[in-house]
Amino acid sequence: MPSNVSAPVPELGQATVPLSCFIRSAHRHYFSGRPERPGYRMRHYEFAGTPAVMPLVRAFLDTCAADQSSDYRYLFTLLGSELATNALRHSLSGRPGGSYVLKVERNREGLRLTCRDLGGLCERDARLTPSPHGLDLGAESGRGLALVDALASAWGDNGNAQYRSVWFHLAYDLDGSSWNTLTTS
């Protein structure tokens, strides 16, 4: 091949790596799905800002609530997954190189989850509000925060457009959640 002609660039393929490669060895117990270390007070983990790690997010959340009822575990995992999805879709956390942190705090009344993302897609500070039509079956967007509003015992955010933190508290007895009225109707 003449020196002034470059070789064709090969097409890049996809590489598949096990999700376990994203877990630091000291934190493997965060993803086991078993209620080991039941006395933990706080756990936090930084997740890569890609939808591909959502199974790890769900495993983390499920493990944090592993010593609770199946309804509680399901609801905690569902609501936490919604916050993680919102971080990916509505902040710089979902851009290449982005990340977000999930922090779970345990107390006598329940679990509190905080999702801290990179913010940056909004210019002004403002509190989040759920879409008034978010729970409508035909709604195409706005469901995540509407679910958190309806099913968490309490929730809020820091109102900061940069480095937003959104949290919810889920009482062990599901007090303050519409879950009890939805499942007994």
Side-chain angles (χ1 to χ4, degrees):
M1 189 176 261
S3 62
N4 62 351
V5 178
S6 61
V9 177
E11 190 174 317
L12 296 176
Q14 292 185 345
T16 304
V17 296
L19 285 174
S20 61
C21 291
F22 289 94
I23 302 172
R24 293 181 289 280
S25 61
H27 297 100
R28 291 207 187 282
H29 63 282
Y30 284 11
F31 302 89
S32 70
R34 293 188 309 264
E36 79 257 8
R37 300 184 187 205
Y40 78 90
R41 297 186 75 112
M42 184 196 60
R43 288 182 173 168
H44 72 281
Y45 203 81
E46 183 174 356
F47 291 91
T50 175
V53 300
M54 284 305 290
L56 287 180
V57 169
R58 288 188 285 277
F60 172 78
L61 295 166
D62 182 64
T63 301
C64 288
D67 59 345
Q68 298 301 311
S69 70
S70 60
D71 274 0
Y72 189 94
R73 285 176 82 166
Y74 173 80
L75 191 53
F76 186 76
T77 301
L78 172 71
L79 298 179
S81 296
E82 291 297 337
L83 293 189
T85 299
N86 284 349
L88 292 173
R89 289 187 180 163
H90 304 295
S91 81
L92 294 174
S93 294
R95 302 276 171 92
S99 65
Y100 57 95
V101 174
L102 295 181
K103 179 173 85 171
V104 177
E105 297 171 278
R106 180 186 193 122
N107 61 43
R108 283 182 284 220
E109 292 83 33
L111 296 177
R112 176 185 168 116
L113 175 75
T114 303
C115 180
R116 190 179 74 232
D117 65 41
L118 299 178
L121 297 182
C122 296
E123 294 181 11
R124 287 185 271 171
D125 291 348
R127 296 282 180 189
L128 296 174
T129 56
S131 169
H133 304 291
L135 294 180
D136 293 346
L137 294 177
E140 293 191 25
S141 64
R143 289 187 185 147
L145 205 52
L147 279 173
V148 172
D149 184 51
L151 299 176
S153 300
W155 76 277
D157 72 286
N158 64 353
N160 190 339
Q162 306 297 319
Y163 301 101
R164 182 175 299 277
S165 290
V166 183
W167 62 270
F168 72 82
H169 179 264
L170 189 60
Y172 293 133
D173 62 4
L174 300 178
D175 187 42
S177 171
S178 297
W179 183 261
N180 286 330
T181 59
L182 295 172
T183 57
T184 57
S185 309

